[in-house]
Amino acid sequence: MHRVEFTVEPFIEGQPGPHVVAPIEALTASGIEVEVGPFGSSCLVEATATADAVGIIVREAFARGATHVNIDVALEGLP
């Protein structure tokens, strides 16, 4: 499993625009549960689906006006 963490800018506290909401909605629609936090969002995905999840985030964010997308991918479940 991989933990994919992402932030989408521009960031306006308390007012996430479509560039922030669209990637979350698209991931959810594809069956990936997203945890939305105060400074970013994250999800757990199967290693074989990581590239697809990252593609969804980037495509949906920039298509809706994002100026910057930061993504961090880490292996989940190591002792």
Side-chain angles (χ1 to χ4, degrees):
M1 294 293 285
H2 289 153
R3 176 168 295 280
V4 178
E5 297 178 345
F6 60 99
T7 56
V8 180
E9 296 178 20
F11 176 76
I12 301 170
E13 189 173 347
Q15 298 178 336
H19 59 288
V20 175
V21 175
I24 295 167
E25 290 176 344
L27 288 170
T28 301
S30 71
I32 298 171
E33 184 177 335
V34 180
E35 297 175 34
V36 179
F39 302 107
S41 301
S42 66
C43 55
L44 285 175
V45 297
E46 295 289 337
T48 57
T50 301
D52 291 337
V54 169
I56 288 170
I57 295 164
V58 171
R59 181 175 53 254
E60 294 295 326
F62 283 116
R64 302 221 173 27
T67 58
H68 183 90
V69 176
N70 185 44
I71 297 175
D72 182 72
V73 180
L75 186 60
E76 184 75 10
L78 286 178

